[in-house]
Amino acid sequence: MNADSKEQRVGFVGLGDIGEPMARRILAAGFPTTLWARREASLVPFEGMGYHRAKDRVELGRASDVVGVCVFGEKDVSEVVLGDDGILAGMAAGGVILVHSTVSTEYVVELARQCEARGVTVLDAAVSGFRQRAAAGELTVMVGGPVDTFQRVRPILETFGAHVEHLGQVGRGLAMKALNQALGLANLASSALALETGRQLGLDQGATERVLLTASGGSFAMELLVGRILKDPQFAQLVASIADKDLAVFEDLCRSAGVLSSDLGGLAARSNDAVAGLVKTP
């Protein structure tokens, strides 16, 4: 692998709501970048940006020193990384795979073991912040894995992350992400319940939203709820599906560690119902 971080060849797969602006940040920073996507439409935002298009996942691995994987869940990660047609099949020894997807710690540890047998290092590099912060390069990035590999790829992570933290061995980044997601979902539930209570109290909806966005009760969750979730039904469905998946990861993590998570997990579990109830209220 090239010692000069700016000469590291970067690959990326998973050009969705958050992955697309992450990849755009990498390209804009000047890293030689290769992209692969199933759908032609996913590559439209990159027109004129000078990226290389891989014809398949094997070529993506072959063309890259470091590959970011930002697909939905464990099944998707396995599909793009493993097997005869996966990224790993084309990647040279010394390569690095960054798992940005929210998967279980057990899964990423096993994935790292399989990739290590081919001389490829896996870092779990979980991200938080949604699309707007990704586009601004302001994501929080939570990383687990060998510290020397982390330092090598840190300049890539800092193209889209304003807060990049190394948490320890592989899986620790995802453990932190799970805790963060549980807190975020708990805040989302509380925010939705506050708006619903304002309606029941007869407070003006617009005024209530403006005050709760700017006063001491405000939060990132309130900004997300008012600014996007309540305005975009398709995005609201995406958040609901992410909430279900991420809460399951959090609960599995707590069970495996023998941690009682009933208070935080219980409040987080109310988020989807609380938001759905707010949307349906006339």
Side-chain angles (χ1 to χ4, degrees):
M1 179 174 293
N2 292 311
D4 186 341
S5 63
K6 275 291 184 180
E7 293 183 4
Q8 291 184 90
R9 301 171 303 155
V10 183
F12 206 94
V13 58
L15 305 172
D17 190 71
I18 192 168
E20 179 241 300
M22 288 169 63
R24 287 175 63 85
R25 294 285 307 187
I26 295 169
L27 266 164
F31 286 95
T33 304
T34 300
L35 305 177
W36 178 83
R38 288 188 181 89
R39 298 185 303 112
E40 190 72 29
S42 298
L43 296 169
V44 170
F46 298 91
E47 290 180 356
M49 293 194 71
Y51 73 95
H52 172 72
R53 180 177 182 177
K55 68 177 185 296
D56 53 36
R57 296 182 293 254
V58 175
E59 183 182 323
L60 179 65
R62 186 178 299 119
S64 307
D65 300 312
V66 180
V67 178
V69 177
C70 196
V71 293
F72 188 74
E74 295 177 5
K75 179 180 178 181
D76 307 288
V77 174
S78 292
E79 182 179 347
V80 299
V81 172
L82 301 176
D84 293 339
D85 59 350
I87 293 165
L88 185 61
M91 205 164 203
V96 181
I97 294 175
L98 305 173
V99 179
H100 302 304
S101 309
T102 302
V103 296
S104 71
T105 56
E106 292 86 354
Y107 173 84
V108 79
V109 168
E110 173 58 22
L111 180 68
R113 185 192 65 78
Q114 294 181 60
C115 291
E116 185 179 14
R118 296 284 299 270
V120 172
T121 302
V122 169
L123 299 183
D124 49 310
V127 297
S128 180
F130 286 99
R131 182 181 181 86
Q132 183 177 3
R133 293 192 181 184
E138 297 175 351
L139 291 176
T140 295
V141 189
M142 298 151 275
V143 186
V147 67
D148 57 335
T149 307
F150 165 70
Q151 293 296 352
R152 189 193 313 165
V153 303
R154 184 168 189 157
I156 299 169
L157 300 174
E158 288 179 340
T159 63
F160 51 78
H163 310 281
V164 180
E165 295 285 345
H166 183 254
L167 280 301
Q169 64 188 15
V170 65
R172 293 294 84 193
L174 282 163
M176 179 59 72
K177 172 68 180 287
L179 176 62
N180 174 76
Q181 293 301 87
L183 177 59
L185 291 171
N187 289 340
L188 185 61
S190 297
S191 297
L193 291 170
L195 291 181
E196 173 56 23
T197 301
R199 286 183 177 182
Q200 294 178 11
L201 291 172
L203 297 173
D204 178 80
Q205 179 179 344
T208 299
E209 291 178 356
R210 289 191 294 273
V211 168
L212 294 183
L213 282 170
T214 58
S216 60
S219 65
F220 176 75
M222 181 65 77
E223 294 176 9
L224 186 66
L225 180 63
V226 173
R228 193 168 181 195
I229 291 175
L230 297 181
K231 296 178 179 179
D232 186 344
Q234 185 174 0
F235 181 70
Q237 291 177 359
L238 174 63
V239 171
S241 63
I242 291 173
D244 287 338
K245 176 175 68 73
D246 289 1
L247 186 57
V249 170
F250 175 69
E251 291 173 343
D252 286 345
L253 174 67
C254 290
R255 276 195 297 269
S256 66
V259 174
L260 297 177
S261 62
S262 56
D263 292 340
L264 179 59
L267 182 54
R270 298 184 63 185
S271 62
N272 281 351
D273 287 343
V275 171
L278 183 66
V279 172
K280 292 178 181 178
T281 301

